[in-house]
Amino acid sequence: MTDKCEKGDDEQLRRLERRVDRERAARHEAEKLLEQKSRELYFANQRLLALAEGLEQRVEERTQELVAARENAVRLAERDQLTGLANRMCFARLLSEAIEGWSVGNHRFALLFIDLDRFKEINDTVGHDAGDAVLQHAAALIKKAIRGHDIVARLGGDEFAVICNFIESPCDVERVAERIMAEFQKALSFRGRILPVACSIGSALVPDDACNQIDLQRFADIALYRSKSAGRSVYTAFSATMNVEIHERQTLESALKLALRNGDIEPWFQPIQSVDAGDTAAAEVLARWRKADGSIEPPAKFIRVLEECGLMRELFVSVLTASCRAARPWVEQQRLQYLSVNVSPGQFKRGSLLDDVDQALEQTGFPHGALQLEITEEALIYDLHAVSSQLEELTQRGVRIALDDFGSGYSSIGYLRRLPIHTLKLDRSLISDVATDVRARAIVNAIGEIARALGVELVAEGVETEAQALWLGRAGCNLLQGYLFGRPVSRETFEAQLLRAAPMPSNLSA
């Protein structure tokens, strides 16, 4: 019995040991598996951390790229691509900020509007590449002239603006404007050509002239307009009286447009006297504005306004057509050899001159050979070749060409060799003293020799005394024009003078 009990205890002990061994093995296996999974989780976590860091870096880089792209887009949107200056949109914002800054800190400032003089002529005659070069040159000149805290912008075309910050007095603005205009004395060399670069400037001050953006820009623009009306290359500061003047100018523009439409700007005629025949050989056509009250305005009162409004072509066509219609019977009756009509430089640049002349002559039946067109040196400055080709076509049609104001320019003689000229019209500045001044006589005599050698007529303008007429006739001026022989008169009066056929003063052709 005792042996049996002992044997049972041993068996139970062995079972217990086996169970402990199994539990130990299971625990060991679990620990091993746990360690393996822990390592896997660790490496997975490391990979996730690395991936997260990479993603974070990429997000940061992309964010920086987007910020840079946005800043670049804003910069491009507010920059003028040609000059690199602030553009109109940026200028509007900066001007608004300047006005807000004044209202908060009472910092006085000024606005300058700058317009390039005769830029369109360069663009039209030399080309857009030259125009771009001029704009870049102008931008550099303005940047060089302004102060460090001033702001310059290109508003478009040939228009620039400067915000002059921290102004103590109008004298500060004037000094900035003077520096800009001094810089513009530097001409631009472009592909072997010297291009003149000049500007006109107008200014308005905050708070002296205006305290809001709209009025400030309007007043600076009015001052700029005054500068350009004064002959360009001028600086003008706004004053209250200009408001009245600009209103009067707008009224004048409207009246002139209506006058052109109604035919109230009409041709008047000034006789050109023949020295040999002693009678009127030709007539120069001069525009006069017959106003509603019956008064007559000379061209000095309105020609510049028409030029600035772009209405010179309409004036030319109207006056040419009306004068040809009036003069046709005079030519057919052989009371007049030819009619002389002035051509503005803009007619050549627009390329409309040939069509306008053809149309006027066709409508009126006026003979081509009885029409003379007067041109000035100003029409020849930028593109002599283009003007010359148009003059050649006109002469092929039989139209005569006169070079007006001869002797007042610096290179008139050179044009005689290159242009189909029929008539030289001596500038009045050359003949005012011919009766008494030896040097003036020598110059006129020399020009007379040139005219005879080239076979062209020589007309002396501005003849007012018999002494002048007598000497000029002997010097070879075969045609004379001036108050001595008659002032410009209406069609009716001129026709009556032709019918009377008044002779020249005695002994002028002796």
Side-chain angles (χ1 to χ4, degrees), residues 23-65:
E23 289 176 355
R24 185 183 296 116
R27 190 166 54 250
H28 179 71
E29 189 64 29
E31 289 175 351
K32 183 178 178 182
L33 181 61
L34 182 60
E35 183 180 353
Q36 180 183 346
K37 294 301 180 182
S38 296
R39 281 199 301 270
E40 290 176 358
L41 287 172
Y42 171 76
F43 289 120
N45 187 55
Q46 291 298 107
R47 286 195 298 272
L48 288 173
L49 287 174
L51 181 60
E53 289 178 1
L55 287 172
E56 185 178 353
Q57 184 175 354
R58 286 186 61 187
V59 168
E60 185 177 351
E61 291 173 353
R62 184 59 179 160
T63 301
Q64 291 174 351
E65 290 174 2

Side-chain angles (χ1 to χ4, degrees), residues 13-29:
L13 182 60
R14 284 194 294 272
R15 283 198 303 269
L16 180 60
E17 287 177 347
R18 285 196 298 270
R19 190 176 69 180
V20 170
D21 289 339
R22 286 197 301 271
E23 289 176 355
R24 185 183 296 116
R27 190 166 54 250
H28 179 71
E29 189 64 29

Side-chain angles (χ1 to χ4, degrees), residues 414-482:
Y415 295 136
L416 301 182
R417 186 170 53 87
R418 304 179 61 180
L419 299 175
I421 301 296
H422 300 84
T423 304
L424 291 182
K425 300 194 73 174
L426 287 177
D427 187 69
R428 65 181 63 246
S429 63
L430 288 177
I431 67 168
S432 58
D433 298 324
V434 292
T436 57
D437 188 286
V438 175
R439 288 176 177 269
R441 290 183 176 186
I443 293 172
V444 173
N445 272 325
I447 295 175
E449 290 294 329
I450 294 173
R452 282 189 289 274
L454 295 175
V456 300
E457 288 185 335
L458 190 61
V459 180
E461 294 185 286
V463 182
E464 298 181 353
T465 68
E466 289 194 18
Q468 289 174 335
L470 179 61
W471 190 91
L472 289 164
R474 291 173 176 173
C477 293
N478 43 329
L479 294 169
L480 305 177
Q481 180 181 354

Side-chain angles (χ1 to χ4, degrees), residues 124-297:
D124 291 347
T125 58
V126 186
H128 292 290
D129 288 347
D132 288 349
V134 167
L135 291 172
Q136 291 170 333
H137 181 63
L141 295 178
I142 297 171
K143 286 175 66 176
K144 184 177 179 182
I146 62 176
R147 304 164 305 167
H149 47 260
D150 295 335
I151 299 168
V152 59
R154 180 188 173 208
L155 304 183
D158 62 336
E159 301 173 0
F160 296 83
V162 174
I163 300 173
C164 289
N165 290 303
F166 306 107
I167 295 298
E168 295 295 332
S169 74
C171 294
D172 295 339
V173 188
E174 185 175 354
R175 280 191 288 269
V176 173
E178 288 174 350
R179 283 200 300 270
I180 293 172
M181 301 193 77
E183 287 293 328
F184 270 80
Q185 298 299 315
K186 302 171 183 175
L188 172 64
S189 176
F190 179 78
R191 296 176 184 172
R193 302 184 67 163
I194 301 299
L195 302 179
V197 183
C199 70
S200 299
I201 305 176
S203 73
L205 275 70
V206 172
D208 307 54
D209 301 319
C211 297
N212 64 76
Q213 193 164 343
I214 294 175
D215 286 344
L216 182 65
Q217 292 184 85
R218 184 165 64 89
F219 293 161
D221 197 46
I222 289 173
L224 174 62
Y225 172 78
R226 166 63 70 84
S227 292
K228 297 186 81 68
S229 299
R232 300 181 171 89
S233 297
V234 173
Y235 164 67
T236 304
F238 176 79
S239 66
T241 58
M242 292 180 188
N243 252 342
V244 176
E245 292 171 4
I246 204 69
H247 175 71
E248 292 175 350
R249 162 61 184 255
Q250 291 168 347
T251 302
L252 177 59
E253 287 181 11
S254 299
L256 281 170
K257 290 175 182 177
L258 183 62
L260 273 176
R261 201 159 50 239
N262 295 340
D264 295 333
I265 300 181
E266 59 189 40
W268 280 33
F269 304 86
Q270 184 176 28
I272 300 174
Q273 208 81 352
S274 169
V275 171
D276 297 329
D279 59 5
T280 298
E284 180 177 353
V285 176
L286 299 159
R288 293 292 186 271
W289 179 14
R290 189 181 296 274
K291 304 181 79 171
D293 60 3
S295 62
I296 303 296
E297 290 284 7

Side-chain angles (χ1 to χ4, degrees), residues 329-391:
W330 307 337
V331 173
E332 291 175 343
Q333 296 164 13
Q334 297 185 349
R335 295 181 181 277
L336 202 70
Q337 295 177 25
Y338 64 84
L339 201 62
S340 199
V341 181
N342 293 282
V343 179
S344 72
Q347 290 292 101
F348 293 99
K349 296 164 193 164
R350 283 187 291 269
S352 59
L353 181 60
L354 297 172
D355 291 339
D356 292 341
V357 171
D358 287 343
Q359 183 178 346
L361 296 183
E362 183 179 350
Q363 286 181 0
T364 61
F366 194 80
H368 287 70
L371 175 63
Q372 176 171 275
L373 298 180
E374 296 190 17
I375 65 171
T376 62
E377 186 176 320
E378 184 181 356
L380 311 171
I381 290 175
Y382 286 110
D383 197 341
L384 180 59
H385 175 73
V387 173
S388 178
S389 64
Q390 293 179 67
L391 295 182

